[in-house]
Amino acid sequence: MDKEAVLTHVLMQRRTPSLLGGEQPVSVLSSSRYVSQRTDREVEDQLASLDHTILSALSSEVKTVLLVGGEGSGKTTALEKLVVAWAKGEHLQNFTCVLYFGLREIRSLKDELSLETLLQHHHSPVPSESTQLVLQKPEDVLFVFDDLDQYKLSLDASVHTLCSDPRQAVSLSCLISSLLHGSLLRGAAFVVTTRPTGHLKFLSGTRVKVPGFSKLQRETYFKGFFTDPAAANKALLHMERTLGFYDFCTSPRFCWTVCSIYKTLMDAGARLPDTLTQLYVDILVHLMQALSLKEACNRELVQALGVMASHCSASQNSSCTKEELHSFGFQKILCSVGAFLHVDGDLESDACVFSFTSPLMQEFLLAVSFFLDTSASEGVAKMLEKYKGHAKFLDLFLSGLSEPDQHRPLEILLGGFNSDRILDFKSWFKSSSEETLKGCYKDRHHRCFHLLHQAQNLSLVKEIISPSERRGISYGDLSLQDCVALNYVWSCLGEMKLLNLYSTRDLTEEKAEVLAPAMSLSHKIQLSNSTLSTGAVSHLASALSRGRTEELDLNHTSLAGEKFKVLCAGLRDCKLHTLTLLGCELTEASCEDLMSVLTSGSSQLRVLDMMFNQIGDLGFTKLCKALHSPQCSLQQLQLRSCELTAVSMEPLSAALCSGTSELRKVDLTTNTIGDGGVEALCKSLQHPHCKLQSLNLIDTELTGVCCPHLRETLMSEHCSLLELDLSVNDLGQEGALLLCQALSRPGCPVEKLGLSHNLDFQCHKSKNHLSQISGEIQITFILCAPPCRLTRCELTQRVFKELGSFLRSGTSLLKSLKVGLNKVGDQGVKHLWDAVAHPGCLLEELDVEMTDLTDACVEDLCAAVRASKTLKTLELRNNSLTDASVPALVQVMEDSCNMQEMNLKYNDFSEDVFEMMEECGRIRY
């Protein structure tokens, strides 16, 4: 075997590499710029190199290796490297013969031929005296078929009569099928490359995906391309920031194209492109200048290429015949097509076939020709619809080329762009963007942002993105290129109320780095239900420390361990006022990090929500130490379900009495505080230094034992509580009456009091029937039979009578009263109707759901509504009202100027009265 002949053939320079066709494999190998591709196979948790994977497979029992990868992913170069290594005696020495067939060589084999003829007349022929040895020992032979799918050979064994005789002449398709299916030269090995296609679905063997360059391999390639390390770093950094988010940047061919054009621009001292459109403008200018044609010829060539691009895109046919090229307008300029098209065959032959060397350039030329066209043909909307699904980047290129700064270099070479076409595109873009941004489809929003990014026009961004759109929908689950586009738009706007990234399932370090400027410009960042890497948290922390963010929502986003430490590093010096960390897997150790933030002296944190975290008493004690610091600005602390007990209340009480705490609101819902814990709190609530105004103790295992302490607290002249919620605790009727006595004290500051027992509390924690209207005074008495451990404590008619009396007293400031789920019937609720009708009652909301009301109460109800000057909403769900009550209820709603809503759902109504209630408009049924 003459390995020298094989080596000479493979390393022979076949043609000058074009910018779009990529660097020839021989050049890559001879210049020592070869970087082995990666595969999708994992070896010891590391991505295996393609070279290693092929060699390992061929050293085992595997007889066929199928390499599957996109255009320009490096398959051909890897195979030629493999053959060269064999010819140099470095690898695969278990094979005595390696036969390499590229696409051109396969296409040149037209006539029927036998395997014996193929071996003896191939570019690296097997000597005739050795042919028999090869045929007798097929296990020593390796066939390499590159880009076999491009030849469109049918490899389905069922459509061929497979041969087994190496001397039998058959078609090339049958010959290769017979080899690959093992009927001919059984035992031989094969390496076949293909783009993702169904052509090789009939073959068995080891399939290896070739995804191209990883980020690290791309860096290695750039450093090998540029002799100057500084230039290599500059080029790589620029590509990563402007183009690296595109999938085709993994292509070695595309990397060579970028390196080549960057080097040309850097050598000329020109600016590097900021977008994909600008890159292709630079490429087209470079190619046209190399052709040295006149302006008219340049324009004719590009327009002809545009016609061909239109044909290929619409028909989804990647190649054209010479006859078709003539119909596109190439007759006089056919000799210039080599810079843009791949030519298969002799240019002088009518059998010659042409195809674009780059699908991206195909779409770019289609966009350029649209703006060069002076005919009154289809507008941009029809054009985009025509190529929908077949030209992914067409609208992006149109957007970039519509801007004068970007198309001016082309106008110098090609002549002026059609101004009517540019106006047509801009009109379409503005109207479609307006429609898109009104909707809630985030993928369409993203596309709009991509188009704006390609245009690189700040004033256009501000014109299209109106203030209403700036609030945004959730843009969670962004791709890297989505991040780039979104960040560009946000940066142009300069300031945003909300960056909504809700439910981002994979915020990587790379994505967060791109989004960091947008984060720093946003007053609120929504990242709840997201998954952040530690690196992403680092960029978020950095954006917070240098930005204007005042509110950050990280609810249900895991921040366990190191992530929270990294976040707190940015929280020590930022403008953040509100931080929500509900269900973030925080522990006692997290409180140590928070303590350092709260006492940093530069933290402006006012509201901290840590609900549903396992911080425990020890963790909360650390937070209480921070409250003693004069540097701590915390005013609201949410600690629902944080595994706290009565032990935590002593340090909290001490902090509240310290005189340094600014705490105004504490939520301790669903913690095991108990009566002892409340007693400790009551001492601090009576202290003159305590500034607490809101205390939430829902479902904290309280009993009537704590009510005397609470009564004493509410009677204290130093008590500053405005809101106290004791819902879902077994306080008992007597305990509730004690609290009512305290409320009656002149000067009692409490405006909202919650004493509800919610039947579904353990399943629906949010249903506490507590109005959140700021500044309103509220008392809630929904006491019912709760499930499991909650004790029935139902209010009686006596309590309703006391409430009615209190509301009529003229001293009550209550505006919201909820007494539902207490079956006192018409007689019990009548006390409330009388109170509502009294001129001294200020109630605006009344809830008497499920109190066993019947039609007998309607007369008193309507009289109360008519007499009240303040009542706005009335909740009457789940009672026993019938059709007979509806006319009177509808009439009183129509007559009342104050009433806004009456809820009559789930009463005993028939469909006969639905239309009557529907006409009223303010009744829910």
Side-chain angles (χ1 to χ4, degrees):
M1 299 299 160
D2 188 355
K3 292 184 177 180
E4 191 63 34
V6 175
L7 193 62
T8 301
H9 172 78
V10 173
L11 294 180
M12 179 178 60
Q13 184 73 35
R14 281 168 284 181
R15 64 185 177 92
T16 303
S18 73
L19 193 63
L20 298 172
E23 187 175 18
Q24 289 294 308
V26 60
S27 175
V28 177
L29 298 178
S30 61
S31 64
S32 301
R33 288 205 288 264
Y34 178 75
V35 178
S36 178
Q37 306 313 292
R38 59 194 175 106
T39 74
D40 66 339
R41 295 175 173 273
E42 292 187 358
V43 179
E44 297 179 355
D45 298 327
Q46 299 293 323
L47 286 173
S49 73
L50 183 58
D51 297 346
H52 179 270
T53 301
I54 297 173
L55 292 171
S56 297
L58 293 175
S59 298
S60 63
E61 298 299 320
V62 174
K63 292 301 180 183
T64 304
V65 179
L66 307 174
L67 303 184
V68 183
E71 176 196 6
S73 62
K75 304 183 299 297
T76 297
T77 306
L79 287 193
E80 295 199 4
K81 172 73 162 52
L82 189 76
V83 175
V84 168
W86 170 79
K88 289 182 177 181
E90 296 172 355
H91 298 297
L92 301 176
Q93 297 308 292
N94 53 313
F95 295 107
T96 57
C97 183
V98 173
L99 297 172
Y100 178 86
F101 293 90
L103 178 63
R104 282 171 173 252
E105 290 153 339
I106 295 175
R107 281 179 170 167
S108 67
L109 302 173
K110 300 293 184 182
D111 301 324
E112 290 190 348
L113 71 167
S114 67
L115 176 60
E116 194 173 66
T117 303
L118 179 68
L119 292 175
Q120 293 178 351
H121 297 282
H122 183 245
H123 60 77
S124 178
V126 180
S128 56
E129 64 272 14
S130 302
T131 300
Q132 292 305 314
L133 294 176
V134 170
L135 296 177
Q136 292 171 6
K137 296 192 66 177
E139 63 272 13
D140 293 344
V141 181
L142 172 65
F143 286 89
V144 177
F145 292 113
D146 188 25
D147 278 335
L148 191 58
D149 61 295
Q150 295 297 295
Y151 189 46
K152 313 301 184 190
L153 288 172
S154 174
L155 300 177
D156 183 358
S158 64
V159 301
H160 297 289
T161 303
L162 299 181
C163 71
S164 57
D165 184 356
R167 297 177 178 82
Q168 180 183 350
V170 294
S171 67
L172 180 64
S173 178
C174 182
L175 179 63
I176 294 179
S177 294
S178 299
L179 284 168
L180 292 173
H181 287 290
S183 68
L184 184 62
L185 207 63
R186 182 180 296 275
F190 302 89
V191 178
V192 178
T193 71
T194 174
R195 298 178 188 181
T197 177
H199 285 290
L200 302 184
K201 64 183 179 181
F202 304 102
L203 294 182
S204 60
T206 299
R207 294 178 183 262
V208 181
K209 291 183 181 179
V210 187
F213 279 154
S214 65
K215 192 170 184 178
L216 181 60
Q217 288 171 320
R218 195 154 61 214
E219 178 181 345
T220 302
Y221 184 83
F222 270 66
K223 289 179 178 179
F225 186 96
F226 291 91
T227 55
D228 179 9
N233 288 331
K234 177 182 178 181
L236 179 66
L237 183 61
H238 188 274
M239 179 184 178
E240 294 296 340
R241 289 182 175 177
T242 58
L243 301 169
F245 46 84
Y246 286 115
D247 292 340
F248 45 74
C249 288
T250 61
S251 164
R253 177 189 295 180
F254 185 77
C255 287
W256 183 85
T257 300
V258 170
C259 285
S260 298
I261 199 65
Y262 277 18
K263 187 177 186 305
T264 300
L265 294 170
M266 290 163 69
D267 290 345
R271 181 179 175 180
L272 296 182
D274 291 323
T275 65
L276 187 65
T277 301
Q278 291 178 12
L279 172 68
Y280 272 80
V281 167
D282 289 332
I283 292 173
L284 183 54
V285 168
H286 176 85
L287 291 173
M288 298 307 297
Q289 288 176 340
L291 290 174
S292 300
L293 301 175
K294 294 182 180 180
E295 179 184 302
C297 291
N298 284 338
R299 192 179 185 99
E300 183 181 355
L301 174 60
V302 171
Q303 286 182 308
L305 288 166
V307 176
M308 178 178 172
S310 174
H311 170 80
C312 291
S313 297
S315 64
Q316 299 184 62
N317 190 349
S318 60
S319 61
C320 297
T321 64
K322 191 172 183 179
E323 181 181 357
E324 287 174 320
L325 242 64
H326 285 162
S327 69
F328 300 151
F330 283 99
Q331 294 95 328
K332 299 178 182 178
I333 48 176
L334 193 61
C335 59
S336 301
V337 301
F340 299 92
L341 304 178
H342 182 76
V343 183
D344 286 319
D346 186 354
L347 192 61
E348 300 299 323
S349 170
D350 290 337
C352 190
V353 177
F354 304 83
S355 58
F356 281 99
T357 55
S358 165
L360 273 175
M361 180 53 84
Q362 175 180 313
E363 294 188 30
F364 179 74
L365 289 167
L366 183 57
V368 173
S369 64
F370 172 79
F371 288 123
L372 291 177
D373 188 4
T374 57
S375 67
S377 58
E378 61 188 8
V380 66
K382 290 185 177 179
M383 179 192 188
L384 291 173
E385 184 63 30
K386 177 180 179 180
Y387 303 114
K388 188 176 181 180
H390 308 320
K392 180 180 178 181
F393 294 89
L394 178 58
D395 56 346
L396 297 180
F397 286 138
L398 288 171
S399 181
L401 289 169
S402 69
E403 292 299 320
D405 288 345
Q406 298 195 54
H407 68 239
R408 190 170 292 114
L410 293 179
E411 285 189 312
I412 295 173
L413 289 171
L414 307 176
F417 275 29
N418 186 339
S419 58
D420 290 337
R421 285 293 179 96
I422 293 175
L423 289 175
D424 177 39
F425 174 81
K426 287 186 176 293
S427 175
W428 169 84
F429 185 25
K430 291 177 182 178
S431 61
S432 64
S433 297
E434 181 180 354
E435 188 67 26
T436 292
L437 295 173
K438 285 180 181 178
C440 57
Y441 295 99
K442 67 179 181 181
D443 56 333
R444 298 180 186 176
H445 283 229
H446 292 163
R447 196 62 179 180
C448 176
F449 297 157
H450 286 305
L451 294 175
L452 288 169
H453 175 242
Q454 288 297 317
Q456 293 287 294
N457 186 328
L458 185 148
S459 60
L460 183 64
V461 173
K462 292 185 175 180
E463 181 181 353
I464 288 179
I465 309 294
S466 65
S468 60
E469 275 80 42
R470 294 185 192 186
R471 290 195 299 273
I473 57 177
S474 171
Y475 294 131
D477 281 349
L478 297 162
S479 68
L480 189 55
Q481 61 197 75
D482 291 334
C483 292
V484 171
L486 179 63
N487 182 71
Y488 169 76
V489 170
W490 256 235
S491 298
C492 287
L493 296 171
E495 183 176 1
M496 295 297 299
K497 290 183 178 179
L498 171 65
L499 176 59
N500 191 343
L501 301 175
Y502 171 79
S503 197
T504 298
R505 288 170 288 188
D506 183 25
L507 186 58
T508 62
E509 180 177 1
E510 193 174 18
K511 291 179 184 179
E513 182 180 10
V514 170
L515 284 173
M519 291 176 179
S520 65
L521 294 170
S522 303
H523 288 278
K524 178 178 179 179
I525 300 175
Q526 170 66 270
L527 271 168
S528 58
N529 291 87
S530 297
T531 304
L532 280 66
S533 68
T534 303
V537 175
S538 178
H539 287 294
L540 171 61
S542 178
L544 293 172
S545 64
R546 67 174 185 270
R548 61 188 67 180
T549 306
E550 297 172 348
E551 187 173 350
L552 175 62
D553 187 342
L554 289 165
N555 289 342
H556 302 294
T557 295
S558 176
L559 295 171
E562 186 65 24
K563 290 182 185 179
F564 195 64
K565 288 183 180 294
V566 172
L567 177 65
C568 286
L571 296 178
R572 293 189 185 98
D573 185 16
C574 66
K575 296 180 175 63
L576 206 65
H577 288 175
T578 301
L579 177 61
T580 56
L581 300 167
L582 186 153
C584 291
E585 301 179 13
L586 305 183
T587 63
E588 174 195 340
S590 307
C591 294
E592 188 80 38
D593 299 313
L594 269 176
M595 188 174 75
S596 68
V597 172
L598 295 172
T599 58
S600 65
S602 54
S603 170
Q604 301 179 34
L605 203 59
R606 301 287 188 274
V607 179
L608 178 59
D609 186 342
M610 297 183 65
M611 293 192 292
F612 300 101
N613 285 290
Q614 299 176 342
I615 64 172
D617 292 328
L618 292 177
F620 183 54
T621 300
K622 292 177 181 178
L623 289 180
C624 290
K625 290 180 181 179
L627 297 175
H628 284 274
S629 171
Q631 309 294 335
C632 180
S633 304
L634 203 61
Q635 295 180 357
Q636 296 185 30
L637 188 55
Q638 309 287 336
L639 294 163
R640 175 177 299 194
S641 299
C642 284
E643 301 187 356
L644 308 183
T645 70
V647 174
S648 295
M649 298 304 101
E650 288 291 348
L652 175 59
S653 182
L656 293 173
C657 297
S658 65
T660 55
S661 172
E662 296 294 325
L663 212 55
R664 299 292 195 273
K665 182 175 183 178
V666 177
D667 185 348
L668 297 167
T669 296
T670 323
N671 286 289
T672 314
I673 305 302
D675 297 327
V678 170
E679 183 177 356
L681 279 177
C682 284
K683 294 176 182 178
S684 63
L685 294 173
Q686 299 175 52
H687 196 282
H689 288 162
C690 181
K691 301 174 184 177
L692 200 66
Q693 297 176 348
S694 175
L695 179 61
N696 193 329
L697 294 167
I698 297 175
D699 191 24
T700 49
E701 300 196 1
L702 307 184
T703 70
V705 174
C706 73
C707 289
H709 301 292
L710 289 169
R711 179 181 179 279
E712 182 182 356
T713 296
L714 297 177
M715 299 289 287
S716 169
E717 61 177 327
H718 298 301
C719 178
S720 58
L721 276 184
L722 301 177
E723 302 179 18
L724 176 62
D725 198 327
L726 302 164
S727 299
V728 198
N729 287 293
D730 185 18
L731 302 180
Q733 181 169 271
E734 296 304 319
L737 291 175
L738 283 176
L739 296 175
C740 288
Q741 291 176 18
L743 275 177
S744 302
R745 177 185 69 83
C748 177
V750 175
E751 297 178 347
K752 295 183 180 181
L753 177 65
L755 291 170
S756 65
H757 273 198
N758 189 333
L759 185 64
D760 296 323
F761 185 82
Q762 290 186 334
C763 297
H764 305 285
K765 295 286 186 180
S766 63
K767 296 182 180 179
N768 295 324
H769 297 283
L770 176 59
S771 172
Q772 298 297 319
I773 301 176
S774 177
E776 292 186 358
I777 306 168
Q778 170 180 296
I779 181 170
T780 305
F781 283 115
I782 304 179
L783 301 172
C784 67
C788 303
R789 61 183 176 83
L790 299 178
T791 304
R792 183 177 182 84
C793 186
E794 187 175 344
L795 297 184
T796 63
Q797 290 195 24
R798 175 189 169 192
V799 176
F800 274 68
K801 182 178 180 181
E802 291 296 323
L803 286 172
S805 176
F806 176 56
L807 291 170
R808 294 193 305 270
S809 66
T811 60
S812 169
L813 299 178
L814 287 179
K815 294 184 179 180
S816 178
L817 175 62
K818 297 185 179 182
V819 289
L821 284 76
N822 291 287
K823 297 182 179 181
V824 295
D826 296 331
Q827 291 301 313
V829 179
K830 186 179 188 305
H831 297 292
L832 301 184
W833 301 140
D834 293 342
V836 169
H838 195 278
C841 180
L842 303 180
L843 277 184
E844 296 180 0
E845 299 178 357
L846 177 60
D847 183 345
V848 286
E849 177 185 0
M850 203 179 293
T851 50
D852 281 357
L853 296 180
T854 69
D855 293 337
C857 78
V858 172
E859 183 177 350
D860 292 328
L861 184 162
C862 292
V865 170
R866 288 192 171 90
S868 174
K869 304 297 184 184
T870 59
L871 195 65
K872 296 178 180 178
T873 64
L874 184 57
E875 184 67 65
L876 294 166
R877 287 183 303 174
N878 292 298
N879 282 293
S880 301
L881 302 176
T882 69
D883 292 0
S885 301
V886 172
L889 295 174
V890 169
Q891 188 63 51
V892 76
M893 287 297 290
E894 291 179 345
D895 294 343
S896 174
C897 298
N898 301 319
M899 285 294 292
Q900 297 175 355
E901 181 177 280
M902 178 184 290
N903 194 337
L904 293 172
K905 285 186 175 182
Y906 315 124
N907 278 277
D908 297 333
F909 300 134
S910 70
E911 294 184 4
D912 297 338
V913 295
F914 284 178
E915 184 176 351
M916 186 185 305
M917 291 188 285
E918 175 71 25
E919 290 178 354
C920 179
R922 289 182 287 170
I923 292 179
R924 295 175 63 192
Y925 61 94

